[in-house]
Amino acid sequence: QRDAWLKMIKLEKEREDREHQKWLQAERERKAHLKRMKMMLENAFDDELEEIQQILKEAISDWTKSAGESGIHPTKLARKTMELLECTDANDYTPLSEAGAGGASQVIEWLVSQGANPNSIGRYGRTPLYRAAFAGHVEAVQQCLQCGADPRIKADDGCAPFDISTNPTIKEILNEWDIEDTERLLKNLELEQEKRASAQAEYAQMKCDAIQDKINAAEDEFKQVEKQLVHAYDELNKRIYEHDVCVGKGTHVEVTLQTVHDAEDLVTVLKVKVDDARRALQMLRLQLREEKKEKLETQQVGVQIMIRELEDVLIRDVGNKIKDDGRWPLIIDETGQASIFVRYSDSNYLNSLNPANMEPDRLRLKKRARNLFAI
């Protein structure tokens, strides 16, 4: 039993080391992405086009290396590229918006040619054209207009770029600009955006299908290993019975004791394999949920799940989503099945449709509870 326990500890440590290495890699990639975003925004303001192109080149190189031998899918590469080109700061300003504020006309032209939105809305409802006009950058205003920036868009202060500018040249440019040119440019940009969206949708569906295939294979693997574990437990009980019989007779005790140890070792190894198979299956299901959410392309909070996934999402908290968020999970279920599941899983929960659950005294008591769900 001691040897079996030590073997289990060793296997658990190896698994934790692998997971820690994955976390470290993810953390390195996250920090690198934040650094690239900061550099992208700063260089856009400073009109450093070559620096921006170098940042993008290095990012593509890193993404390709991370993808391994299989390589990165062109659609995924295009999506990650666009995410970097359209990254935002704390004020929701994109590199294109920063280029407008800094008067970086060549950066504006290049970013739009790469698919950046010339009418992105930042803090206080300000567009790149608004910021360029406000800062008095004549060339930047001209470039924004020629790239599809809409001079009719007003900020939260109710002012359009024409209203906010104090530069006579800029006012003249905006006043004489033919709005039909804007309509034509916007139509072309919309067509390009639809093409990218269509390609992204196809890629998202392909990813979901691929993950579902992996889930099916992982389910088969989990069932197979679980079946082996059940059989190993049966064999262990048989070996223990045989050993007890030999002890009673006083014969072959050492031999039967060794067979018991071997059976225990096999059970230990299979228990770890079952845990690994279950965890792999749970992570694949989590990946599929996140891919489906991303496929919807909405800003909805939370994720839509099946009833059978409640244990992984709520109880086991696969991926530490609840732990990292820190707030009470809110479950919205029209069928009422989620309420039944949570009630019989011996969990702390509040049913918002039950007046007794929403009484102030009860809420104060529940506030101190851990792992609380609201339904």
Side-chain angles (χ1 to χ4, degrees):
Q1 290 180 349
R2 183 175 180 275
D3 292 340
W5 181 77
L6 290 174
K7 184 174 290 187
M8 177 179 286
I9 294 297
K10 181 181 179 181
L11 292 172
E12 286 287 345
K13 188 176 184 304
E14 290 175 353
R15 182 172 61 194
E16 289 177 0
D17 289 342
R18 289 195 300 270
E19 292 181 353
H20 183 62
Q21 290 301 320
K22 289 181 180 179
W23 179 84
L24 288 176
Q25 179 62 25
E27 191 66 12
R28 283 193 292 267
E29 291 177 357
R30 185 186 68 84
K31 289 181 178 179
H33 181 64
L34 292 175
K35 183 178 179 180
R36 287 194 189 105
M37 288 172 54
K38 184 174 182 292
M39 294 173 63
M40 183 73 71
L41 291 160
E42 290 176 351
N43 285 291
F45 184 88
D46 295 334
D47 202 14
E48 297 289 347
L49 179 57
E50 291 183 1
E51 291 292 331
I52 291 176
Q53 292 172 334
Q54 182 62 30
I55 293 170
L56 182 59
K57 183 179 179 181
E58 292 176 357
I60 292 175
S61 177
D62 290 345
W63 297 333
T64 304
K65 289 179 182 178
S66 298
E69 296 180 359
S70 59
I72 186 168
H73 193 278
T75 306
K76 182 178 181 180
L77 179 60
R79 178 175 61 81
K80 292 178 75 67
T81 300
M82 189 54 60
E83 287 176 354
L84 182 57
L85 295 177
E86 293 266 67
C87 64
T88 57
D89 60 12
N91 295 316
D92 290 331
Y93 291 140
T94 63
L96 183 53
S97 183
E98 288 294 289
S105 55
Q106 65 171 346
V107 172
I108 293 172
E109 182 181 9
W110 184 81
L111 286 171
V112 174
S113 71
Q114 299 300 308
N117 181 12
N119 293 302
S120 59
I121 306 296
R123 191 177 186 185
Y124 306 123
R126 296 175 179 178
T127 63
L129 178 58
Y130 180 103
R131 299 184 73 195
F134 181 81
H137 299 303
V138 177
E139 291 184 8
V141 168
Q142 290 177 321
Q143 192 63 63
C144 284
L145 289 171
Q146 292 167 7
C147 290
D150 193 339
R152 298 167 296 184
I153 299 177
K154 295 182 179 181
D156 294 347
D157 56 10
C159 295
F162 177 86
D163 304 320
I164 203 66
S165 177
T166 58
N167 187 310
T169 304
I170 291 177
K171 281 186 172 292
E172 183 180 354
I173 292 172
L174 292 169
N175 188 50
E176 295 179 356
W177 178 257
D178 189 351
I179 203 65
E180 291 185 1
D181 290 340
T182 300
E183 295 289 353
R184 176 178 52 80
L185 291 167
L186 288 176
K187 187 175 182 180
N188 292 336
L189 290 172
E190 186 178 352
L191 290 174
E192 289 297 323
Q193 186 176 6
E194 288 177 356
K195 288 180 182 179
R196 289 195 297 269
S198 177
Q200 291 292 344
E202 291 179 5
Y203 175 65
Q205 186 59 51
M206 183 186 72
K207 285 186 69 176
C208 288
D209 293 342
I211 296 172
Q212 186 60 58
D213 291 340
K214 291 181 180 180
I215 288 175
N216 295 337
E219 287 176 344
D220 293 339
E221 175 69 17
F222 175 70
K223 291 177 182 178
Q224 182 179 357
V225 177
E226 194 174 39
K227 186 176 180 180
Q228 292 175 357
L229 179 60
V230 172
H231 179 71
Y233 269 119
D234 291 341
E235 290 297 316
L236 174 60
N237 290 330
K238 290 179 183 179
R239 301 293 85 80
I240 292 174
Y241 174 76
E242 291 171 355
H243 177 65
D244 290 342
V245 171
C246 289
V247 169
K249 293 181 179 181
T251 59
H252 307 296
V253 174
E254 294 182 358
V255 175
T256 55
L257 181 60
Q258 183 59 47
T259 60
V260 169
H261 290 329
D262 292 342
E264 288 176 339
D265 290 343
L266 180 59
V267 167
T268 299
V269 171
L270 288 175
K271 284 174 66 177
V272 174
K273 286 186 175 181
V274 167
D275 289 341
D276 288 343
R278 180 186 292 109
R279 186 175 286 104
L281 180 58
Q282 291 170 343
M283 294 307 296
L284 284 170
R285 287 172 175 166
L286 172 62
Q287 187 179 354
L288 181 60
R289 289 193 297 270
E290 292 180 341
E291 285 295 334
K292 287 182 176 179
K293 181 182 178 181
E294 184 176 342
K295 180 183 173 184
L296 293 174
E297 295 184 350
T298 62
Q299 298 298 319
Q300 68 176 21
V301 178
V303 62
Q304 184 176 1
I305 64 171
M306 304 295 289
I307 292 295
R308 61 175 177 269
E309 297 176 300
L310 280 172
E311 182 177 4
D312 287 350
V313 176
L314 294 178
I315 308 303
R316 297 183 183 276
D317 189 19
V318 176
N320 293 326
K321 299 295 181 180
I322 298 175
K323 180 182 177 182
D324 294 342
D325 188 278
R327 295 175 295 179
W328 295 353
L330 173 63
I331 308 165
I332 301 175
D333 175 28
E334 296 179 354
T335 67
Q337 296 181 45
S339 178
I340 296 173
F341 170 82
V342 173
R343 182 165 64 250
Y344 284 98
S345 64
D346 194 25
S347 301
N348 287 310
Y349 76 99
L350 288 170
N351 188 340
S352 60
L353 298 180
N354 186 340
N357 282 193
M358 305 307 293
E359 292 179 357
D361 290 342
R362 183 146 188 190
L363 288 173
R364 279 193 290 270
L365 289 174
K366 288 290 186 180
K367 188 177 181 180
R368 302 175 184 175
R370 300 180 62 185
N371 301 327
L372 179 68
F373 308 128
I375 303 178

